[in-house]
Amino acid sequence: MEYPDFAELIGQEIHSYSVLLLYTNDEWFTDVRPVFEATGREWRPRPLWGIGYVKPVNQHANFLHDGRARNVKEAIFWHGG
C-alpha cells in the first residue's frame, strides 16, 4: 500500500530491532496484573525505538513491563544482568 502524502517513505526499509514474542517470567519477576490474554507472568517487551526520548516525552524513565526500573541500567539488573 502506498500513501501519497508520505512519498518519502515509499520503498524505505525499516529495521525495527524489536522482539515481538510473548515471554514468561520467573516467579520472582511476576506481577498480578493480567493484560488482555496475558497472565501476570507473561509480558511482551517494549520496542527500543526512540529510547533516548523516553524521559523528555513521558516525563519519566521507567522501564520493564511494570515500570519498576528507573533507568536502562536498572532494567538490565532486574532482568538478571
Side-chain angles (χ1 to χ4, degrees):
M1 178 180 286
E2 293 186 8
Y3 298 93
D5 292 341
F6 300 100
E8 65 274 9
L9 299 179
I10 293 173
Q12 277 198 358
E13 188 173 316
I14 306 292
H15 300 279
S16 66
Y17 301 107
S18 291
V19 176
L20 304 175
L21 302 173
L22 187 64
Y23 284 90
T24 302
N25 292 324
D26 291 330
E27 200 64 41
W28 61 270
F29 203 61
T30 299
D31 64 24
V32 293
R33 298 183 296 175
V35 177
F36 300 105
E37 293 183 24
T39 69
R41 288 193 66 195
E42 297 172 323
W43 65 286
R44 188 177 316 275
R46 291 182 188 172
L48 298 177
W49 311 329
I51 197 167
Y53 295 106
V54 169
K55 192 165 186 166
V57 172
N58 297 333
Q59 304 303 310
H60 68 76
N62 299 339
F63 295 96
L64 293 181
H65 68 291
D66 59 359
R68 75 175 81 178
R70 295 170 291 181
N71 53 52
V72 173
K73 187 174 181 178
E74 198 170 284
I76 294 168
F77 170 78
W78 275 107
H79 199 270

